[in-house]
Amino acid sequence: MRGFGSTRGLLLMLAVQNLGRRQTRTWLLVAAIALASAVTFAGVVAMASVTASMQVGLSRVGADLMVVNRDALTNITNALLVVEPTDSTVAADAVLRADIHGMAGFSAQRILRTDRSGFGAAGEPVDLIGFDPGTDFTILPWLSERLAGPMRPDDVILGGARDLPLGSKALIFGQSFRVYGKLARTGSGTQERGVFVQVVRFLALAPAIRDRLGSLPHMLEPDRVTGFLIRMGPASTELQARFALLSKIPDIKVIVGSALLTGIRQGLGMLLGGLVLLVVALSISTAMMVALLFSAIMAERRREFGLLKAIGARNGQIVGMALVEAALATAGGAAIGVIFGLLLLRLFERGLVHHLGEMGIPFLWLDGARTCGVAAACVVGAALVGMAGAFLPAWRMGRRDIHDLLGKES
Amino acid sequence: MLACRGLVKHYATDKGTVEAVRGIDLDVPMGGYAAIIGRSGSGKSSLMAMIGGLSRPTAGQVRIDGADLWALREPEAATFRNRRIGYVFQFASLLPNLRAVDNVALPARLAGRLGHREAADVAAERLADVGLTDHFDAFPAELSSGEQRRVVIARALMNEPALLLADEPTSDLDEQTEREVMALLRAVSRDRRTTLVLVTHNLALAAEAEQIVHIANGVIVP
């Protein structure tokens, strides 16, 4: 008992020694928890990464539907990434008021094509696109490079065909903006040559634009937008949505994207949801088995607990020692499991992710902070499961007659 | 002074209620030596468990030096057992992963009464008292049955209790070791003025006690 001066230290030492006393069982327990934690950790990180990658990848194929004014000209061969430049507008709250069933989300866009913005070479026509980063799902997924930190109001994003460096200044209607990011090449002319501004900042340009152009285009009015991009939820068809939109919003045109891509997006979304449920169910069943195992281990040691109580250990000390023992074994196992899980992810990266990269398909790993969060959750979760399994039998033993505990053979 | 009044112990079983102890009054003076004898199932171990604070009586009272043992709350009862009662059980009741000296020091360490070093010093004295000077660092598995029982006696004496309870402490020992252990128990009881209560079915051992309590069917018989 060298080095453990306090009673707490004594109980901690007893807990550690109990684990060491039956090494085969302890290592089997640690190995089982390590394996479960490795699978849970690697599974959660990989699933989150795959989900994020798929969301970006599928968002890159564009929206399912586009709603614009009936008079607007549209290029139906383009992927639905941005609305087309037009003077015609629709009410900014039209889609919200229509309350279309089965919509997963929508994003309003305003677009102004002008050769008098002062951006780029003199007299060059520029498409200024006002968008809301909070609802956007077709522009930001195409970001190929950006500055660190979130996009600020005075930031702009440039289409892939523009070549100003990140962080440089850009003058638009006499006002200064910082180049925050740049999109990858999309094949959509409007997007490749577009200059994307947050909608609040876009509307704030109205006085400067009125001064320069002599009048205010409609899309710069707060209650008007050029159009909407709509993403459908699982198990809802764009055809139903199209009819519903046309019947509820007057004077609009609804452009439907690729039905095949919509189906793939919906199917993969449901598949991922199912896989998440499977991982959750597996984790819960493992947790229950670990709890059951600890319950049995505690019950097996009732004579030892009875002896400790007889010579003066309090109920709280008995329960505390059992919890510490359970937490040490399970948290230790989970920590080993996380390391093992990292190795599994490394294999995953060298295999599938490498091949995806070679095919030009981006794979977005969960960022470091969140990965650490998942690892910590695995360790803490495992410790809690072990403690939950140990608590009830230890607490029950604390309440039983000591004579009864001593009388039972281990 | 140990004083028991109207002690009753019932156990609920699948076949109904078993009346293990049915109203026992018992007094043992301070420093006295009492032997409780009886056949298996007579209720002697149940009586001992109630006296030692190990099993709550269905009815009745146990007083040790005036303190009503079963009126104490759990933390106070734990402290009372730790400080005032020493136990020698009929099974090898040592923690296998602790050295002899650490097993002996355990009651003092659990109570937080002594630090590690002081507890080890006192434990070494107790081990010397029971003739195990050369076995401080031995683990239980390295000791003979008799030596293990001596370690248990040293542990029971660690906090200098007022009452020493021994429940068939020699039942698994050979005759020679049994005599040695009993002599040791008797000696420490006498030297320290510790009240000794022994449960046994060995009439020869009981004959050496100052007071013999014969129990049959849960009651004291003449």
Side-chain angles (χ1 to χ4, degrees):
Chain A
M1 293 199 288
R2 295 179 183 91
F4 289 96
S6 67
T7 306
R8 281 182 186 171
L10 170 73
L11 294 173
L12 175 64
M13 184 215 61
L14 288 176
V16 172
Q17 288 194 337
N18 281 328
L19 289 173
R21 194 168 62 189
R22 296 189 174 174
Q23 292 190 1
T24 304
R25 187 177 68 183
T26 299
W27 281 115
L28 281 173
L29 174 67
V30 167
I33 293 165
L35 191 61
S37 301
V39 170
T40 303
F41 171 70
V44 169
V45 171
M47 288 284 292
S49 303
V50 167
T51 303
S53 303
M54 279 185 56
Q55 279 173 350
V56 170
L58 292 173
S59 293
R60 284 187 168 193
V61 301
D64 299 320
L65 300 169
M66 184 164 74
V67 175
V68 291
N69 188 286
R70 188 173 56 189
D71 299 330
L73 291 174
T74 53
N75 182 356
I76 59 172
T77 60
N78 271 347
L80 302 183
L81 299 175
V82 288
V83 293
E84 293 291 308
T86 174
D87 290 335
S88 303
T89 58
V90 293
D93 61 350
V95 172
L96 192 65
R97 274 193 291 115
D99 190 24
I100 303 301
H101 176 72
M103 254 186 348
F106 67 92
S107 184
Q109 290 185 354
R110 295 168 165 88
I111 184 164
L112 170 66
R113 175 166 287 180
T114 176
D115 54 6
R116 301 177 68 183
S117 68
F119 183 85
E124 180 187 340
V126 169
D127 289 329
L128 279 180
I129 300 161
F131 77 109
D132 179 0
T135 58
D136 170 74
F137 58 91
T138 59
I139 298 167
L140 294 178
W142 282 95
L143 264 177
S144 61
E145 49 184 323
R146 67 178 177 88
L147 297 175
M151 187 180 181
R152 302 191 312 220
D154 285 335
D155 285 342
V156 291
I157 293 171
L158 303 182
R162 298 203 172 270
D163 53 7
L164 277 179
L166 294 187
S168 61
K169 295 289 177 192
L171 279 177
I172 302 171
F173 289 106
Q175 297 186 18
S176 178
F177 288 84
R178 181 182 69 156
V179 176
Y180 170 76
K182 196 170 172 184
L183 304 183
R185 290 273 187 170
T186 64
S188 163
T190 309
Q191 190 170 26
E192 287 202 346
R193 300 200 59 78
V195 176
F196 299 85
V197 185
Q198 290 196 38
V199 66
V200 178
R201 195 68 184 82
F202 183 83
L203 293 175
L205 286 171
I209 292 172
R210 187 191 292 115
D211 289 347
R212 188 78 58 92
L213 303 183
S215 64
L216 188 67
H218 292 309
M219 81 288 295
L220 282 153
E221 295 168 10
D223 58 346
R224 307 297 294 178
V225 297
T226 306
F228 297 94
L229 293 165
I230 295 173
R231 183 165 51 186
M232 301 307 301
S236 54
T237 67
E238 66 273 29
L239 198 61
Q240 291 170 324
R242 184 178 184 221
F243 285 133
L245 285 162
L246 288 170
S247 66
K248 290 185 177 180
I249 309 173
D251 301 328
I252 59 161
K253 182 193 291 185
V254 179
I255 294 97
V256 178
S258 166
L260 177 63
L261 292 176
T262 300
I264 291 172
R265 188 209 321 275
Q266 290 173 329
L268 285 176
M270 290 174 74
L271 185 64
L272 272 179
L275 284 175
V276 168
L277 280 179
L278 190 64
V279 168
V280 169
L282 279 173
S283 300
I284 290 173
S285 67
T286 305
M288 288 172 72
M289 280 194 287
V290 170
L292 185 67
L293 185 60
F294 259 98
S295 181
I297 289 173
M298 291 300 127
E300 185 193 69
R301 291 175 44 211
R302 52 187 171 245
R303 175 173 274 187
E304 180 186 326
F305 287 153
L307 173 67
L308 287 170
K309 283 194 71 177
I311 62 175
R314 293 189 293 277
N315 288 346
Q317 289 175 320
I318 295 291
V319 173
M321 190 177 76
L323 295 188
V324 167
E325 192 178 323
L328 284 175
T330 48
I336 294 170
V338 166
I339 294 168
F340 189 51
L342 284 170
L343 294 176
L344 286 177
L345 289 172
R346 186 81 178 144
L347 286 176
F348 180 62
E349 185 181 18
R350 289 192 169 192
L352 181 63
V353 176
H354 179 69
H355 288 302
L356 288 173
E358 283 185 336
M359 288 189 290
I361 300 171
F363 190 84
L364 303 176
W365 281 107
L366 199 63
D367 60 69
R370 288 183 186 176
T371 303
C372 288
V374 174
C378 280
V379 174
V380 173
L384 289 175
V385 164
M387 289 165 74
F391 175 76
L392 193 59
W395 180 76
R396 277 184 178 161
M397 274 188 272
R399 294 173 64 84
R400 281 173 65 175
D401 258 2
I402 301 169
H403 189 234
D404 192 24
L405 295 175
L406 290 169
K408 302 288 183 185
E409 284 295 340
S410 295
Chain B
M1 164 100 179
L2 167 68
C4 304
R5 292 291 174 269
L7 279 180
V8 173
K9 183 67 183 181
H10 293 171
Y11 294 107
T13 69
D14 294 341
K15 295 175 181 173
T17 301
V18 174
E19 297 178 345
V21 177
R22 299 185 294 153
I24 284 184
D25 296 332
L26 175 65
D27 291 302
V28 182
M30 178 176 290
Y33 173 21
I36 301 173
I37 59 171
R39 300 180 62 177
S40 293
S42 61
K44 56 187 188 300
S45 286
S46 294
L47 173 63
M48 180 73 113
M50 290 188 285
I51 292 171
L54 307 180
S55 182
R56 181 172 287 279
T58 307
Q61 200 176 53
V62 177
R63 285 187 175 275
I64 298 170
D65 288 347
D68 186 349
L69 178 57
W70 288 104
L72 299 174
R73 293 161 63 88
E74 193 273 331
E76 288 82 42
T79 303
F80 192 90
R81 285 194 299 271
N82 179 267
R83 300 296 302 274
R84 309 303 302 276
I85 306 174
Y87 304 90
V88 182
F89 298 108
Q90 61 182 300
F91 60 92
S93 57
L94 297 172
L95 295 186
N97 45 329
L98 295 186
R99 298 175 302 159
V101 70
D102 296 326
N103 263 294
V104 174
L106 204 52
R109 300 290 314 283
L110 274 174
R113 191 170 62 85
L114 298 176
H116 167 61
R117 197 171 298 278
E118 300 97 313
D121 289 344
V122 177
E125 283 177 28
R126 297 290 182 270
L127 281 170
D129 289 346
V130 297
L132 289 175
T133 312
D134 298 331
H135 296 79
F136 293 175
D137 291 330
F139 286 91
E142 298 165 352
L143 298 169
S144 68
S145 299
E147 288 167 339
Q148 286 184 25
R149 212 49 53 94
R150 286 170 182 270
V151 175
V152 171
I153 293 169
R155 184 184 65 197
L157 298 171
M158 180 67 192
N159 286 342
E160 299 184 321
L163 177 62
L164 187 58
L165 301 176
D167 187 358
E168 311 234 25
T170 58
S171 58
D172 57 346
L173 302 180
D174 60 70
E175 206 170 319
Q176 173 65 23
T177 310
E178 180 179 57
R179 273 200 299 275
E180 290 171 8
V181 168
M182 283 311 302
L184 177 63
L185 276 173
R186 189 68 192 104
V188 296
S189 161
R190 196 168 42 235
D191 295 348
R192 296 167 184 271
R193 295 276 298 152
T194 303
T195 306
L196 173 62
V197 178
L198 169 74
V199 165
T200 183
H201 56 262
N202 185 328
L203 295 179
L205 289 180
E208 296 172 13
E210 296 157 0
Q211 182 182 356
I212 298 175
V213 181
H214 189 186
I215 295 183
N217 296 321
V219 295
I220 294 176
V221 292

